[in-house]
Amino acid sequence: MQETKSTCCYCGVGCGVLIQTEGERIVGVRGDPDHPANFGRLCTKGATLHLTTKPDLRALYPEMRLSRHELRQRVSWDDALDHAVQQFAQAIREHGPDSVAFYISGQLLTEDYYVFNKLAKGLIGTNNVDTNSRLCMSSAVAGYKATLGADAPPACYEDIDHTRCLFIAGSNTAYAHPIVFRRIEDAKQRNPELKIVVVDPRRTDTAQSADLFLPIQPGTDVALFNGMLHVLLWEGLTDMAFVREHTEGFDALKETVREYTPRFVADICGVPEADIVTAARWFGAGPTLSMYCQGLNQSTSGTDKNAALINLHLATAQIGKPGAGPLSLTGQPNAMGGREVGGMANLLSAHRNLADPAHRAEIARLWGIDSVPDKPGKSAVEMFEAARKGEIKALWIACTNPAQSMPDLTSVHDALENVPFLVVQDAYRNIDTAQYADVLLPATTWGEKEGTVTNSERRITHVRPAVPAPGEARADWEIMVEFARRLGFMLENGKQAFDMFPYESPEEIFNEHCETTRGRDLDITGLSYAMLDAQGPQQWPLREGMTQGKARLYEDGVFEQPGGKARFANVKYRPVAEKTDARYPLHLTTGRLRDQWHGMSRTGTVPQLYNHVEEPMLSMNAEDMARRQLQSGDLVKVSSRRGSLTVRVRDSDEMMPAQTFLPMHWGGQQMNGMGCNALTVNAFDPVSKQPELKHAAVKVEKLDLPWRLIMMRRGRETLKLLEALQPILWRFEYASCGLYGRDDGMVVLRAASAKPAPQALIDELDVLLGLTEDVPCLTYRDPKRGISKRVAVENGKVTGVRLVGETLAAEWLKEVMTHDDFPDDVRMWALAPVNAPPNGKQGRGRIVCSCKDVAESEIKALVGKGAGLEALQAQLKCGTECGSCVPELKRLVG
């Protein structure tokens, strides 16, 4: 078995992994003990990466159609690229360069990003290239630039070990960045005096670990931070010497925060005055490290939220020293790498500003072209709105799924339907966006690619391929280089295209990127693939002649603003874009779960990653549910002004009154709805243009859907079965479909309707799931009551279940299916309307520890006998591998 160094392809922590291969197959993965981002640790998602490498749902060869009324057919790469070139060239000739656009992804490698950026801005002459990083990190970028002068997080992970106050705002770090949270747990254990403050509308697992939890009302972060600055000023906790020598603009901000008294802020935020004062005192005492993510970023005032938090660091000199500074937690694995090469509509390579004529001239010289267009490109929301209106004639989408991830999805689906020509370049053929593609191009993915990524602490890692590309898949940079060369000939500048895109390897692209950074804040002219291979991942800047990068920035108090002084941002509180009212009285927040990632195109192929949360569920406050006569498990219709979803509801002690939460991961592949973004608004921050994905006003109504169906099947090609079931989900009033178990697991389909489904539909499902009468089955039918049951038993094992009209036994039958035994005392009750077999064996319920397959019921049983965390770990082994379940274990222990 061989091992290849790489990184995890999920969040921006940037964990190093060792990919284990046998021949041309990935057979395992483990954390890289030498990688400074994780030192060998992996979360539940990273530890199962090798299980995502099945080819079942991969795009393996190019597909094309000449008309929207046709089905795509397999074609050669030459035919696919030539057709794409013709369509883009025609649009450019007839409507100008700004009639085409590229929407790309923070999951691309830096080299991929660089080629896309150079193609659009250099060869075609349009700045219409934006990225899904716009949806997660653009407000953090704008906040850094407004205050510190550059998109450069000044702190690092090592600061967790040195800080005495950790201020976490708008981030459920325990779920979204688990390996960073492991480091926080370690720091707290070593130093019990470490103060952890968590700001979040929800009492998340992260919040439950806090010494001080501030459950603010959604969107009120600026008011809170201004209120804390008011206290710092009042109590003399600011560092006025630092403010005078190293900053400007403080006097104007001081006048603004004068009115943000603790009482005034308490009324806005909904938290006690005393807690605001305590948070300010702990922050001012320092050293203080702040960590923040989408709760601050995904907002119409996201730039102000970021800047207001950085104001606190500047006012107290909590920056540029061990244990202190603002550290935005990057959402995607290479969102920062994309920003480094200018892969957004308002940026140019190496953090250059598109609006600066000198910066445009520098890039034109470096690229060997006459000029770079000065007109700002369309950001993500603007791009899809332009496509909807017919202004974009040809659109190229790579490595992202906007049909699920963008806000106000009805409008986005209209845009994808209306754009005359659409190319989708992706590793997976089943993403929601692919249904609209005129050309589908198969791209390589994790384990198959070479290039670099940059994580949250500015650390660059060389990613190496472990196996060859499957089928006819190609690297993203390679696809774009070939497209650029062909497009150049169609636009009659073929020689220039070949001169601009001479690359034969990703290393050539990286070396050119390095040269563009010379003299910039992120200068990496001293970096190379060889250095990364020999010395391991490195932080920027790393200029020519340096032997290693800088862990912390601004240690000398000199910032990237003109004159070298940081600027205080004079920001004021603005409410959320969409207020609640009598018709839509509830706040909806959205976010991540522990074991799933984004739209589940990857994690959704691993059965054990469903075991913690099996289906999308709306979390509500128990009192709000009681007022609506709702109980956990009921079906509800959750509606906003833009759309609605039918989901199950559950009471949650995480939720404050009048607030709800829906996970972001499920979409049209797993449910009969578009997902949570069918509900969200497309309003965006005027500076960062990041949409307010974190908040919408909704109403929740109980649904009466008495007819129920549950079908489960194991022992078949589960991923292909999952794909085959997707079109059928929309034929029910409620439906969700996913996986469960371990290894190949099983497919689980749940559906409900007001009236019984037609028998023809049930027969169709029986055929799909292999539960027809020619399979050995236990069968029960009661036509009068509309009940029909079938339990497939093959080689003494339960391999399939179909319950129609009455589904009480579903949960314990699901547990029977995960094991090989089917004893007679269980068999005789398999068709009975009971929620547990008479042998006393209850269903295990939700799995808390995915690594060791430990259920909540088993944990609670031991806790009931007095077991604490150490006893749980010793006896059940839960929390002893990746550690992602430790926060929940602590909560269950109480």
Side-chain angles (χ1 to χ4, degrees), residues 105-120:
S105 168
Q107 292 166 74
L108 292 170
L109 303 185
T110 301
E111 292 77 0
D112 303 325
Y113 248 123
Y114 186 88
V115 175
F116 268 105
N117 192 48
K118 191 175 185 181
L119 164 68

Side-chain angles (χ1 to χ4, degrees), residues 782-829:
D782 185 344
K784 187 174 182 180
R785 293 194 297 156
I787 296 173
S788 175
K789 301 181 182 183
R790 189 168 287 174
V791 177
V793 184
E794 301 172 271
N795 299 319
K797 305 172 186 176
V798 177
T799 59
V801 170
R802 189 255 278 155
L803 305 177
V804 174
E806 185 274 298
T807 61
L808 278 175
E811 288 304 307
W812 67 265
L813 283 174
K814 184 178 68 178
E815 296 298 336
V816 170
M817 288 180 67
T818 62
H819 301 92
D820 289 337
D821 59 324
F822 189 39
D824 289 341
D825 60 342
V826 173
R827 179 189 296 254
M828 64 185 296
W829 290 93

Side-chain angles (χ1 to χ4, degrees), residues 101-163:
F102 299 86
Y103 185 63
I104 53 180
S105 168
Q107 292 166 74
L108 292 170
L109 303 185
T110 301
E111 292 77 0
D112 303 325
Y113 248 123
Y114 186 88
V115 175
F116 268 105
N117 192 48
K118 191 175 185 181
L119 164 68
K121 297 170 183 176
L123 181 66
I124 296 175
T126 180
N127 289 311
N128 286 344
V129 54
D130 211 53
T131 166
N132 60 16
S133 299
R134 180 73 64 182
L135 309 182
C136 68
M137 295 308 298
S138 53
S139 290
V141 172
Y144 281 134
K145 292 172 72 173
T147 53
L148 308 181
D151 174 19
C156 61
Y157 299 156
E158 184 186 328
D159 287 317
I160 298 171
D161 305 327
H162 300 289
T163 190

Side-chain angles (χ1 to χ4, degrees), residues 715-736:
R716 297 172 69 85
E717 294 179 305
T718 52
L719 297 184
K720 291 182 179 179
L721 178 55
L722 202 63
E723 183 181 24
L725 286 170
Q726 189 274 333
I728 296 177
L729 301 179
W730 296 83
R731 293 161 69 178
F732 297 99
E733 292 173 73
Y734 161 79
S736 72

Side-chain angles (χ1 to χ4, degrees), residues 642-778:
R642 290 152 298 282
S644 63
L645 291 175
T646 299
V647 293
R648 294 189 188 278
V649 68
R650 71 179 187 101
D651 67 273
S652 171
D653 58 9
E654 291 184 352
M655 307 310 303
M656 301 296 120
Q659 296 183 24
T660 64
F661 172 80
L662 195 62
M664 63 181 280
H665 308 291
W666 278 267
Q669 296 301 310
Q670 305 91 11
M671 63 186 299
N672 64 334
M674 296 179 184
C676 70
N677 284 331
L679 309 173
T680 53
V681 298
N682 64 6
F684 53 78
D685 181 290
V687 178
S688 70
K689 299 192 176 180
Q690 181 164 354
E692 190 157 270
L693 287 163
K694 275 292 178 188
H695 182 268
V698 299
K699 61 182 176 181
V700 175
E701 303 165 280
K702 185 175 182 178
L703 290 179
D704 183 20
L705 302 178
W707 182 87
R708 301 296 169 91
L709 171 146
I710 291 182
M711 299 185 75
M712 300 178 280
R713 193 64 159 109
R714 59 173 282 197
R716 297 172 69 85
E717 294 179 305
T718 52
L719 297 184
K720 291 182 179 179
L721 178 55
L722 202 63
E723 183 181 24
L725 286 170
Q726 189 274 333
I728 296 177
L729 301 179
W730 296 83
R731 293 161 69 178
F732 297 99
E733 292 173 73
Y734 161 79
S736 72
C737 191
L739 304 175
Y740 184 81
R742 301 182 78 81
D743 301 321
D744 291 335
M746 70 181 78
V747 172
V748 181
L749 168 67
R750 297 176 173 89
S753 296
K755 297 180 180 179
Q759 185 60 43
L761 178 55
I762 304 302
D763 293 342
E764 183 179 347
L765 286 169
D766 280 347
V767 171
L768 265 179
L769 275 76
L771 294 175
T772 52
E773 293 182 357
D774 58 342
V775 175
C777 286
L778 305 176

Side-chain angles (χ1 to χ4, degrees), residues 44-97:
T44 54
K45 298 182 291 293
T48 55
L49 266 170
H50 60 293
L51 301 177
T52 70
T53 58
K54 297 176 182 178
D56 302 56
L57 302 179
R58 290 291 301 272
L60 296 175
Y61 47 81
E63 296 178 0
M64 187 176 79
R65 64 184 178 188
L66 299 178
S67 165
R68 285 287 168 93
H69 304 293
E70 300 175 359
L71 294 175
R72 289 193 308 268
Q73 302 294 326
R74 179 176 178 174
V75 295
S76 69
W77 269 102
D78 283 338
D79 287 346
L81 287 173
D82 283 345
H83 182 57
V85 164
Q86 289 167 5
Q87 295 297 316
F88 269 72
Q90 181 178 345
I92 292 166
R93 284 194 298 262
E94 295 180 1
H95 304 283

